[in-house]
Amino acid sequence: QLQASGGGLVQSGDSLRLSCSVSGRTFSRYNMGWFRQAPGKEREFVGYIRWSGGSAYYGDSVKGRFTISRDNAKNTVYLQMNSLKPEDTAVYYCARRLSPTYSSTSGEYHYWGQGTQVTVSS
């Protein structure tokens, strides 16, 4: 089970940190991703982190502004979002991928959280 939290209403240029709490005794072996979906748009890849935390990948629209990290002792993945823009407004989802390889395709993730709303005002 995945539970995303930390969303809210912020202003352009602000920062926000999302958390994704994951149940499971083997969380340290889970490969995790973040996606987002704005109204009327397709789900968009935000980032991915390997189970070891040693490799992270980002979507082009967030590269350099967002950072994914994880704390395996707390079964939690984080998405630090800096320099937020109005176009970052979306529902943000965390997801778990069963395969050990990297993917930016939402259909290749197997478990999803319920999403948390992020709204960035201009």
Side-chain angles (χ1 to χ4, degrees):
Q1 190 172 4
L2 288 74
Q3 182 85 19
S5 61
L9 172 62
V10 297
Q11 293 188 329
S12 182
D14 284 352
S15 296
L16 201 60
R17 188 177 79 160
L18 305 183
S19 299
C20 176
S21 177
V22 183
S23 60
R25 279 188 261 175
T26 56
F27 170 76
S28 61
R29 308 298 281 187
Y30 295 173
N31 300 297
M32 301 295 299
W34 283 97
F35 291 79
R36 66 186 183 186
Q37 188 163 20
K41 294 189 176 181
E42 292 187 356
R43 194 161 292 189
E44 178 188 12
F45 172 71
V46 174
Y48 165 92
I49 187 166
R50 280 198 78 215
W51 64 270
S52 64
S55 299
Y57 303 87
Y58 299 93
D60 289 341
S61 61
V62 306
K63 206 172 292 184
R65 299 187 298 124
F66 291 12
T67 303
I68 296 178
S69 62
R70 63 191 296 157
D71 185 337
N72 287 342
K74 295 182 178 179
N75 278 27
T76 303
V77 177
Y78 302 100
L79 180 66
Q80 177 67 44
M81 305 185 295
N82 297 331
S83 302
L84 282 162
K85 306 174 182 180
E87 50 264 45
D88 294 318
T89 295
V91 177
Y92 283 71
Y93 299 90
C94 59
R96 177 190 164 196
R97 174 165 164 75
L98 294 178
S99 170
T101 58
Y102 159 70
S103 174
S104 62
T105 303
S106 61
E108 295 181 351
Y109 285 73
H110 304 85
Y111 299 97
W112 291 82
Q114 86 291 357
T116 185
Q117 176 71 48
V118 173
T119 303
V120 185
S121 64
S122 57

